[in-house]
C-alpha cells in the first residue's frame, strides 16, 4: 500500500544537477534481508534511500553471509549521516561517491575544487575512508570527478595494507544530462566484476557505459547499455 517513491531532478544550463525534489516515504518500508536470504549472494548493493537501521543490519548480514557490500551514497546529507560512525561503513567493500559525497563521508574539509593535476585532497579523503571500510579484506573507493574522470583508491586488506590510487581521465564528450551517470557507472562496474573483470577494467567499462547515459536526453539511464 502507499505511493511509489518519486524524484524530480533540477539541472542547470550545462546539464549538471543543482537540486531535486523527492518523495521517498515508501522507502521506509524496505525490509532487512536475513543472513539466510543472503546465502549464496556474491554482491549486495545498498544506497542511502533505505532507513539507516536497515542499511546497517543489511550490511552486517551480508558480511556474515559471505557477500561483498557495495554502497552508492545517493546524496551528501545521506552519505554524511550514515558514515557518522563506523557501524555501517566498516562492512562496506566498495563505495561509489562523487567528490562532495566522499568529503562528507570521510569528514574531510577543503577549500576550493581540485584540478586535473591536483587530486591530493581527493586521494587523502579516499584513503581516510578506506581506513574505515572492511579491515579483514580488500576495499575500493570509486570517486567520480565529472570532466576530471574517476579516481580508484584500493587497499588489499590486512594490517600492512597500503593504498593504491589510479586516475582514469574522462573522455571529452558533449553531454545532455549528468543525471544517472554515477548510477550507470556503478551498475556497469558490478556487471563487469561479475563477468570476470578486475577493478581497473571494471572502472573503464563503467566509464564507457556512463557516457551513454550522459548523452541520453529522454531519461536518466540510457536504454542502450
Amino acid at each position: 500500500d502507499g505511493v511509489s517513491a518519486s524524484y524530480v531532478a533540477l539541472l542547470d544550463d550545462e546539464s549538471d544537477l543543482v537540486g531535486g525534489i523527492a518523495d521517498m516515504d515508501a522507502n521506509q518500508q524496505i525490509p532487512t534481508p536475513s543472513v539466510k536470504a543472503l546465502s549464496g549472494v556474491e554482491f549486495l548493493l545498498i544506497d542511502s534511500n533505505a532507513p539507516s537501521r536497515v542499511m546497517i543490519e543489511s550490511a552486517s548480514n551480508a558480511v556474515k553471509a559471505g557477500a561483498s557490500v557495495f554502497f552508492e551514497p545517493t546524496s551528501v546529507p545521506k552519505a554524511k549521516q550514515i558514515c557518522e560512525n563506523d557501524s555501517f561503513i566498516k562492512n562496506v567493500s566498495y563505495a561509489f561517491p562523487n567528490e562532495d559525497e566522499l568529503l562528507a563521508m570521510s569528514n574531510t574539509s577543503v577549500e576550493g575544487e581540485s584540478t586535473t593535476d591536483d587530486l591530493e585532497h581527493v586521494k587523502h579523503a579516499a584513503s581516510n575512508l578506506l581506513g574505515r571500510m572492511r579491515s579483514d579484506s580488500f576495499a575500493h573507493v570509486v570517486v567520480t570527478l565529472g570532466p576530471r574522470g574517476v579516481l580508484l583508491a584500493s587497499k588489499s586488506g590486512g594490517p600492512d595494507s597500503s593504498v593504491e590510487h589510479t586516475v582514469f581521465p574522462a573522455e571529452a564528450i558533449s553531454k545532455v544530462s549528468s543525471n544517472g551517470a554515477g548510477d550507470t557507472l556503478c551498475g556497469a562496474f558490478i556487471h563487469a566484476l561479475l563477468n570476470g573483470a578486475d577493478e581497473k577494467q571494471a572502472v573503464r567499462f563503467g566509464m564507457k557505459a556512463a557516457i551513454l547515459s550522459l548523452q541520453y536526453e529522454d531519461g536518466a539511464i540510457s536504454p542502450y547499455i
Side-chain angles (χ1 to χ4, degrees), residues 163-174:
V163 177
E164 177 187 9
H165 300 99
T166 307
V167 178
F168 299 82
E171 181 180 333
I173 62 167
S174 297

Side-chain angles (χ1 to χ4, degrees), residues 118-129:
D118 179 19
L119 293 173
E120 290 308 309
H121 76 269
V122 179
K123 294 177 181 179
H124 175 68
S127 296
N128 285 346
L129 185 60

